[in-house]
Structure formats: structure tokens, C-alpha cells
Amino acid sequence: MGSIIAMEFASDKLRLIDQRKLPGAYAFFECATYEDCVFAIKDMVVRGAPAIGASAAYGAVLAAMAFKDLAPAEFRRRMDRALDQLNDARPTAVNLMWAVKRMRAALAGISDASQGAAADILKKEADSILAEDIAKSEKLSEFGNALVPHGATILTHCNTGSLAVPGLGTALGIVKAAHRAGKNVSVYADETRPRMQGARLTAWELLQEGIPGTLIADSVAATLMRDGRISLVVVGADRIAANGDSANKIGTFMLSVVARRYEVPFYVAAPVSTIDFGCPDGGGIIIEERCAEEVTEIEGTRVAPEGIRVYNPAFDVTPAGNITAIVTEQGVLYPPFDEAIARQIGR
Ligand code: MRU
């Protein structure tokens, strides 16, 4: 069974499944310029930590195509600015900065005399990022599958499948691997207010894969865990600090508190590129705040009274102490995470 292909670079364009429109429409958004890529990341045409990193890498390719005939100094200046804009399109998922850093390093290795070939060279690097992401998600999913008991009922949050990650996914990749292994698993998917990634995207991916799934309002999770109806929780991450504190979609922290209270295993699944070695703990993670309309409106219809103040952080940080294990493509890490990350992953 293949995975959903959420991004493809062909005919000098990056073609993305437009995640804003699912499940109502299966439509594509074409990025013909790097500015289109910046827009696609900011507006969440593409979202999910590894997916925005890979999209930014192709954004760098589009920039090199656009600037290839400029004088070398101007080429470098414009490329730098484009990479800065891609880097800054969203602040929390470190995979974005990781991918842009790789593209900067590839660019730095290109001499002025080879400027004409820069787009081709950068395209090879972007293709490598995409291919590596796919391979990493397969490995991570298999490592995670080993933690899933037969017949498990799995709770997940946000969308961490093939739409968010080139390949199988992270948290949802583990669910898919367990399902494909015939483990008879089923899923409770949080709707994930306010952007509804669970209702719109995870529910859609579960149906595509034929995995038994039940959609719940976010506030139902505690009742399910108290009643012993959840075998394990598995979520993705946008940035993991060196001590294991993990940023993920808003609401994840609350799930982790309940899981700890009712002794439900709580797993975080992410590639090593999500670990920010420069960030000692979760206090250093920048949390994106998004616009008020995401909370005051539903599908463009105002549901809250005019004049009310809104607080809309897109992510929260789950303390390492609430995490049972972190699943990466290099293996499963157990507490104490600072030691496990330093010993098993290193830099
Ligand atoms: O705001 P989003 O939809 O980009 O947030 C995505 C998440 O929080 C995912 O759980 C995270 O990126 C991990 S996906 C592999």
C-alpha cells in the first residue's frame, strides 16, 4: 500500500495538496515562485513539521531559478533574503530551520562560476531531504510499531500522517505500521481545535488507509483515559529540546497531564531533525501565536461576539517528565531524555 503523495516537484513547480481544502476538496496548490512557498507555509496550504521543511527546500530551488541570471553578488543577496523569508515563515517547527540550513550549506558550496547550475544543485539537495524524510518516517514507524500491543486503542492529536510528513508519517505512521502488521488497532482522533487538523486531515487519512477511527471533540480525551479505553497516546512534535521537552500542537500538554494521571503510556514520535540541540529545555521554544479569527470564526462564520479578546497559541510544550518514550528513526529513547539524546543521537 502506498502513501499519499502530498508534495511533488515537477515542471519547475512545487505541487502541494492544498490541506486547507481537505476533506471537502482534493485540490492542488502550485508554487511557481519561492514567494508562493512562503505563502503556502504561512497560510498552512502545507503544514506539519517535516512537510514545511521539505517545501522550504524546494522554495530555495525556485529562488535559484528566478535569480540565476543576476550578477553573482546580487544573486547571493537575493538568495539570502529568500532563505530568510522561508526560514521565518513559521517559528515553532525546527524542521523548517533545519531544512533551510541545509539549503544554505548547499548554496555556500556553489562557486560563482557554477551559478548557472545552482538550481540543479539545490534541487538535488531538496530531493535528498524529501527522500531522507520518507525513509526516516518508515523506520520511525517500524520502531514505534514495536511499542503497540495487539488490539490497541490509540489516541492521537493533530495530523501527523503523510500530509504532515513525506512518507508514512510520525505518530500516524506508527498507527499505519501497526495496522499494516495486522494488529487490529483502532484510533481516537482529537478534532484539534482551532484548525481542526484531526477532524479534517487525520480522519481523512484514517479513511484512506481503512484504519478504524473515531473522531472526538478534544475535551473527550480525559473521559476516555479515565475509563481505561485508551491503550496509549502517540503524538508528533514540532521541536524537541535537548532535555526531551517537546512542543506540539496546542492541547498536547493537556493530554500528557491526563495520560500521566491515569498511567496511559504517552509517546512522542519525530525524526531526529526535530531535535533542537541548541535549545536546552522547552522554555526556549518559540510558540507561534495565530490570528484571532481561527478562534472567533468557524468556516468564515463569526461565532464569538465582537470585542472579545482572544489568545491563540498554536503549540504548547509537554514536559519531558510526562513522556514515556520518544520514537525516532534512530530508535526509541527513554528517560532521562537528556542523557538518551546525548548518548544515542549526539550531534
Ligand atoms: O500547525 P500545524 O498543523 O503545522 O501543526 C502540526 C503539528 O503540531 C504536528 O503534530 C507536528 O508538526 C508533527 S507532524 C509530523
Side-chain angles (χ1 to χ4, degrees):
M1 213 179 313
S3 294
I4 298 151
I5 309 288
M7 75 176 64
E8 203 168 20
F9 194 88
S11 310
D12 295 343
K13 289 188 184 78
L14 177 65
R15 199 171 82 133
L16 301 164
I17 295 181
D18 191 338
Q19 299 191 37
R20 299 168 307 177
K21 301 206 166 132
L22 283 171
Y26 185 80
F28 292 92
F29 181 92
E30 282 194 342
C31 301
T33 64
Y34 86 84
E35 290 95 336
D36 291 341
C37 285
V38 172
F39 171 83
I41 295 168
K42 276 187 199 277
D43 210 50
M44 296 174 70
V45 171
V46 58
R47 29 75 41 214
I52 63 177
S55 303
Y58 285 111
V61 178
L62 292 169
M65 281 163 49
F67 302 144
K68 71 176 188 321
D69 296 327
L70 297 174
E74 184 61 3
F75 171 78
R76 300 232 172 242
R77 199 183 66 78
R78 299 286 288 269
M79 285 301 295
D80 257 358
R81 212 181 61 175
L83 286 163
D84 285 348
Q85 284 172 259
L86 288 161
N87 189 77
D88 297 346
R90 290 188 75 189
T92 305
V94 77
N95 309 66
L96 175 59
M97 295 82 195
W98 171 86
V100 170
K101 197 171 161 194
R102 269 185 66 162
M103 299 310 284
R104 267 192 218 282
L107 181 67
I110 301 170
S111 67
D112 289 350
S114 316
Q115 183 177 313
D120 289 338
I121 297 167
L122 292 184
K123 163 106 175 13
K124 282 203 181 80
E125 186 66 2
D127 287 345
S128 299
I129 289 175
L130 187 68
E132 288 167 28
D133 276 353
I134 293 169
K136 285 186 266 184
S137 92
E138 302 278 338
K139 279 197 112 170
L140 176 163
S141 300
E142 274 316 318
F143 278 122
N145 176 26
L147 302 169
V148 178
H150 197 277
T153 302
I154 302 168
L155 178 72
T156 193
H157 193 65
C158 198
N159 173 267
T160 60
S162 307
L163 293 165
V165 188
L168 269 191
T170 54
L172 206 57
I174 292 172
V175 171
K176 289 177 189 174
H179 172 72
R180 291 177 187 184
K183 284 189 172 170
N184 198 23
V185 295
S186 58
V187 174
Y188 280 103
D190 281 350
E191 61 177 350
T192 318
R193 282 280 295 153
R195 293 285 300 212
M196 310 297 273
Q197 290 94 330
R200 295 188 303 103
L201 308 176
T202 300
W204 183 77
E205 285 202 41
L206 289 172
L207 290 170
Q208 297 282 317
E209 287 275 330
I211 301 172
T214 304
L215 181 64
I216 54 170
D218 298 328
S219 39
V220 175
T223 300
L224 287 173
M225 284 196 256
R226 182 204 59 197
D227 292 349
R229 292 169 64 185
I230 301 296
S231 318
L232 61 99
V233 180
V234 62
V235 296
D238 290 83
R239 190 182 296 233
I240 299 175
N243 73 341
D245 289 351
S246 298
N248 191 50
K249 180 54 52 197
I250 190 74
T252 305
F253 168 45
M254 193 160 67
L255 283 181
S256 79
V257 172
V258 179
R260 192 180 158 99
R261 166 73 176 77
Y262 293 105
E263 298 180 355
V264 176
F266 186 94
Y267 299 116
V268 170
V272 168
S273 52
T274 305
I275 300 174
D276 184 351
F277 294 94
C279 185
D281 59 48
I285 300 177
I286 298 166
I287 300 294
E288 176 181 14
E289 278 191 45
R290 294 189 64 88
C291 67
E293 288 72 25
E294 287 188 352
V295 181
T296 58
E297 296 179 1
I298 292 179
E299 297 286 307
T301 302
R302 180 108 196 163
V303 291
E306 295 290 346
I308 191 71
R309 282 198 300 266
V310 170
Y311 174 48
N312 184 22
F315 301 96
D316 57 26
V317 176
T318 295
N322 287 1
I323 299 170
T324 308
I326 299 174
V327 185
T328 77
E329 75 278 15
Q330 292 188 25
V332 181
L333 309 175
Y334 290 97
F337 293 115
D338 50 354
E339 283 173 24
I341 288 173
R343 192 181 58 244
Q344 281 176 252
I345 311 286
R347 246 184 226 255

